[in-house]
Amino acid sequence: METKAKSNGIAKRQNATVKKEVQDKLTSEAIGKTVVPEKKVTAKKPVINLDDRIQKFEKLRGLATQRERLTETLNELTKFNYNQDGSSSFYIRDSRNLEFKTTNSNLIKLVTTHLQSTLEQRKSEIEQQIVQFEL
């Protein structure tokens, strides 16, 4: 509240307008006039469609399944043992049954190392998507 100095130097509060507003409100309530309360602004939650929510849940489940498969593949690749004695072989076969085969341990090591780093990178991307996912 403000204070103003009178011409004689004594400070006086300016609260007459506040009192007047309160008195008017109480008077109107007492004589039965309807007082319109101030509307409170509330943030409404967006209505979520059940089908959309289920679809998002299925997408999250798909991401979890991809992560599980990548983890299994990485575990199998880690168990893979390639030896220098030529007992390991690497096959690639296409849809027409054309086949590439090698027993070169250096090439096998190179391919498995690259495959492992690629799978680990993809797994971390999927984990990041799962963490950031919102239902």
Side-chain angles (χ1 to χ4, degrees):
M1 295 196 177
E2 296 180 19
T3 58
K4 288 193 175 182
K6 285 186 172 181
S7 58
N8 64 3
I10 300 173
K12 184 177 180 182
R13 291 187 176 185
Q14 294 288 326
N15 60 1
T17 57
V18 174
K19 285 183 181 179
K20 180 69 174 163
E21 290 173 5
V22 172
Q23 285 176 349
D24 290 342
K25 184 176 180 183
L26 290 173
T27 304
S28 63
E29 287 177 0
I31 59 174
K33 290 185 179 177
T34 58
V35 177
V36 179
E38 295 180 17
K39 294 182 180 179
K40 294 182 180 179
V41 178
T42 57
K44 293 183 179 180
K45 292 183 180 179
V47 178
I48 298 175
N49 187 355
L50 184 60
D51 292 332
D52 291 341
R53 190 171 179 94
I54 291 172
Q55 187 176 14
K56 286 182 179 182
F57 180 74
E58 291 298 325
K59 183 177 179 182
L60 181 61
R61 188 183 314 191
L63 289 172
T65 303
Q66 284 180 354
R67 184 190 174 279
E68 288 175 17
R69 282 188 296 191
L70 282 171
T71 302
E72 290 173 10
T73 304
L74 278 168
N75 288 339
E76 290 176 17
L77 189 60
T78 304
K79 292 176 188 176
F80 181 73
N81 187 13
Y82 44 89
N83 298 324
Q84 297 290 338
D85 62 357
S87 64
S88 300
S89 58
F90 182 76
Y91 292 91
I92 300 175
R93 182 177 296 147
D94 67 4
S95 62
R96 297 181 297 172
N97 285 333
L98 295 176
E99 189 176 279
F100 169 78
K101 175 186 173 185
T102 185
T103 56
N104 183 339
S105 61
N106 290 330
L107 180 61
I108 294 171
K109 182 177 180 180
L110 181 68
V111 170
T112 55
T113 304
H114 181 71
L115 182 59
Q116 187 170 10
S117 66
T118 302
L119 291 172
E120 287 173 352
Q121 179 181 1
R122 181 65 182 142
K123 181 182 171 190
S124 66
E125 289 172 2
I126 289 175
E127 288 173 346
Q128 187 67 28
Q129 288 177 357
I130 290 172
V131 169
Q132 294 176 349
F133 195 85
E134 292 182 19
L135 279 177

